[in-house]
Amino acid sequence: MGGQCRHDIWGFPGCLSRRAMTTPAGSGTGFGSVSWWGLSPAVDLQAESPPVDPDSQADTEHGTPELNVLLLGSVDGRHLLRTLARAALWPRRRFRFYVLENNMEAVARHMLIFSLALEDPEKMGLQERSEAFLEVWGNALLRPTVAAFVRAQAGRLARLVPEPDRLAEQLPWLSLGALKFRERDALEAVFRFWAGGEKGPEAFPMSRLWDSRLRHYLGSRYDARRGVSDWDLHMKLHDRGARVIHTSEFRRWRDTGVAFELRDSSAYHVPNRTLASGRLLSHRGERVAARGYWGDIVTGPFVAFGIEADDETLLRTSNGQPIKTAGEITQHNVTELFREMAAWGHPRAAQGDPAQVQGDADGSPEPAAPVPESFTVHFLSLGSAQTLHHKSCYKGRFQLLYVACGMVHLLSPELGACLAPGGRLIVELAQFLVDLRQEQLQGFSTRVGELAQAAGFAPQPGARRSQTFARFYKAGDSAPSHEDPAVGSGTPPPEVLAPPLEATNPPPEDLTQPLEGGIPPS
């Protein structure tokens, strides 16, 4: 390429082409190589963390104890949102969430989701916010009004990212200080694409990409896809604890990518650009940057908020069948979550509201309404999991570490060194990965235990049995070691953990189509 500046699909230096092509196929498996929603129910991170140490209050600002949580691959912010929504049930703490993802599109979706959750109620009502969240988060196609909201928010965030002072003023809960300049440029480019920098549906033809990805995944079974869908639902997801997912909503999502149909089906026709991601592919002998949909096409976004509920009446059955669908339960849970989140974005409105601020049952003083500065979301640089322990500010800092099933290979003694003695580790298991057989699920769970032990953790005593999460605690102050054979002895099965984007095998060339009808120049 000589001295030419190289650009990838989002327009920042470092990749191999100036022009992107769009391709439907991903890694060749149903899970894909990019996660857009979690494959486990949302959890309250306070309930998973060690009890508050009363002596720690003297070491924190204003005497309020802090909860420092490191999350690897949480992708959709569900655990953070649930933790904030349930904060009134616990003694007051200041939350510091450190989020590490493997792509900048996931970081951008985190920011968009939190901006939506904290939107001024006078500008956007509770029901409107909840419905917009469900569509942006889990639908391949959007209503025009929701698409317009995404464009407006993306344009605003694109303008704020390169201006740290304005960003801190308008989004005090957000910290991008740990990102590299190149990553901030990438983040801005993602937002500009969402905002419509490339006009027209052909910039991201989601329906065609979804169908082509489905054809590539099912192969000769494509014409029998309804039967495949029913088998996966009834013989796998239902048996693994997701019985509330209804056949009709699951079929619709498998066919069209629309999980939550809150209006007439004809209203959903605008591609959801927040589900676009980039990847390097081999195209006619050259490495080029491609934009496509490489997310989940087999499980769906129903698990995160749709299979559990605090209100147990939602989970009742009649004649052996659930009375509510996963979509209905998801809508209820998200609406209640946003109702409780209102205290964080607008604490004055929540003062004196017993529904927002609850006291303990034993009559202890009620916690004060939270303020936005009581929590901060810090986004860490991509690929920094193995180097965090080199910085003194991270070593022994965290009380809780969360690792998604797609990031388990990063669990190491180096990462374990970032947890304080007695800190907790919670690992998402592969329970709802449809492509995996039962013996593979058991093998993955066993491997998680081996990696956790090698990283200095032991099974958490008294932890409730769960097929969805594995829970550990840090047994002692163990220093990282590069000589532990258990760490390098292997990784979870390739069916579970998608390889790095640059390393995945490209799809056949007949499934790729360059944008604008050309091949990137060499």
Side-chain angles (χ1 to χ4, degrees):
M1 281 192 170
Q4 285 185 333
C5 178
R6 302 183 297 175
H7 296 262
D8 76 353
I9 64 171
W10 303 118
F12 65 98
C15 233
L16 298 181
S17 68
R18 290 182 177 275
R19 187 182 301 167
M21 68 180 182
T22 301
T23 171
S27 64
T29 63
F31 178 60
S33 57
V34 179
S35 297
W36 296 127
W37 42 74
L39 295 177
S40 58
V43 297
D44 180 359
L45 298 175
Q46 284 211 79
E48 302 291 341
S49 63
V52 176
D53 181 4
D55 297 333
S56 67
Q57 296 189 23
D59 300 328
T60 59
E61 187 180 3
H62 308 303
T64 304
E66 287 188 353
L67 176 60
N68 293 287
V69 184
L70 176 60
L71 302 102
L72 271 63
S74 59
V75 300
D76 56 9
R78 67 194 185 284
H79 303 314
L80 280 61
L81 293 173
R82 181 165 174 81
T83 301
L84 296 174
R86 296 180 64 84
L89 303 178
W90 299 86
R92 185 170 177 177
R93 299 174 85 169
R94 301 177 71 87
F95 299 106
R96 298 290 180 263
F97 302 116
Y98 293 79
V99 179
L100 196 155
E101 302 292 349
N102 62 11
N103 61 86
M104 295 311 300
E105 296 89 347
V107 174
R109 278 188 39 111
H110 271 288
M111 294 172 60
L112 180 65
I113 285 171
F114 263 88
S115 298
L116 181 58
L118 299 174
E119 183 65 82
D120 188 341
E122 296 183 359
K123 295 180 180 179
M124 199 174 195
L126 179 62
Q127 181 178 349
E128 187 181 3
R129 269 184 294 145
S130 301
E131 292 180 353
F133 169 84
L134 292 179
E135 292 186 27
V136 172
W137 172 63
N139 282 2
L141 302 173
L142 305 176
R143 287 178 291 142
T145 53
V146 176
F149 170 80
V150 171
R151 287 195 297 271
Q153 285 284 19
R156 173 187 175 225
L157 293 171
R159 292 188 295 271
L160 289 177
V161 166
E163 299 188 31
D165 293 339
R166 287 185 60 203
L167 184 68
E169 178 186 348
Q170 297 190 28
L171 304 177
W173 51 267
L174 175 65
S175 174
L176 302 179
L179 296 183
K180 300 175 182 177
F181 288 111
R182 177 176 176 271
E183 291 170 331
R184 296 189 199 187
D185 291 342
L187 190 60
E188 180 186 354
V190 172
F191 285 130
R192 294 204 179 281
F193 173 71
W194 291 1
E198 298 179 40
K199 303 295 183 182
E202 283 307 308
F204 187 58
M206 185 65 184
S207 294
R208 179 172 61 81
L209 298 177
W210 183 276
D211 183 69
S212 298
R213 173 82 190 283
L214 205 58
R215 289 175 182 271
H216 186 63
Y217 170 68
L218 293 175
S220 61
R221 301 182 299 163
Y222 179 80
D223 291 336
R225 58 190 179 279
R226 175 160 291 191
V228 175
S229 170
D230 291 349
W231 175 270
D232 286 346
L233 177 62
H234 294 285
M235 304 305 294
K236 296 180 181 179
L237 290 175
H238 281 186
D239 285 351
R240 297 178 189 180
R243 283 187 54 82
V244 294
I245 303 178
H246 195 271
T247 302
S248 61
E249 64 184 348
F250 192 68
R251 282 179 179 173
R252 181 186 64 236
W253 177 76
R254 276 281 185 101
D255 287 343
T256 66
V258 176
F260 307 107
E261 196 171 85
L262 309 173
R263 296 289 186 273
D264 183 80
S265 59
S266 62
Y268 299 91
H269 56 82
V270 182
N272 184 357
R273 293 192 178 200
T274 73
L275 297 180
S277 60
R279 207 176 106 202
L280 287 177
L281 296 176
S282 176
H283 183 70
R284 299 180 183 178
E286 294 186 19
R287 297 281 280 173
V288 296
R291 180 191 301 123
Y293 177 77
W294 290 298
D296 169 33
I297 60 170
V298 293
T299 299
F302 306 105
V303 174
F305 295 107
I307 65 173
E308 294 182 358
D310 294 332
D311 183 357
E312 294 187 358
T313 62
L314 296 171
L315 304 176
R316 288 187 303 187
T317 60
S318 176
N319 297 323
Q321 297 298 318
I323 62 174
K324 297 289 186 180
T325 66
E328 292 171 331
I329 296 173
T330 297
Q331 186 173 6
H332 171 86
N333 285 340
V334 169
T335 301
E336 290 305 304
L337 185 147
F338 279 9
R339 190 194 310 278
E340 295 163 340
M341 280 288 293
W344 291 95
H346 308 275
R348 293 180 182 177
Q351 291 285 1
D353 184 352
Q356 299 291 346
V357 183
Q358 304 178 25
D360 294 335
D362 60 359
S364 58
E366 296 181 350
V371 294
E373 292 77 13
S374 295
F375 83 94
T376 311
V377 182
H378 302 260
F379 289 105
L380 301 179
S381 179
L382 309 186
S384 62
Q386 304 300 344
T387 59
L388 289 178
H389 68 286
H390 290 310
K391 297 185 177 181
S392 58
C393 61
Y394 295 132
K395 194 167 184 179
R397 178 183 185 89
F398 304 103
Q399 292 94 33
L400 179 65
L401 168 62
Y402 172 88
V403 182
C405 63
M407 304 278 264
V408 168
H409 58 288
L410 297 176
L411 191 53
S412 66
E414 290 82 4
L415 196 61
C418 296
L419 258 73
R424 304 282 177 82
L425 165 67
I426 177 171
V427 181
E428 179 187 60
L429 299 179
Q431 177 75 355
F432 295 105
L433 283 182
V434 171
D435 287 337
L436 299 191
R437 299 183 299 274
Q438 198 62 43
E439 59 270 22
Q440 292 174 306
L441 295 177
Q442 184 58 46
F444 180 77
S445 180
T446 301
R447 183 63 187 142
V448 166
E450 295 171 354
L451 290 171
Q453 183 179 9
F457 296 90
Q460 185 177 323
R464 60 188 182 276
R465 290 183 57 83
S466 172
Q467 300 296 320
T468 310
F469 297 106
R471 293 174 170 87
F472 307 89
Y473 77 101
K474 189 170 182 181
D477 191 10
S478 55
S481 170
H482 299 281
E483 301 177 358
D484 195 322
V487 176
S489 61
T491 56
E495 297 92 341
V496 178
L497 299 179
L501 299 185
E502 291 79 2
T504 47
N505 293 325
E509 287 193 8
D510 59 354
L511 289 180
T512 63
Q513 293 185 358
L515 282 182
E516 303 171 3
I519 301 174
S522 59

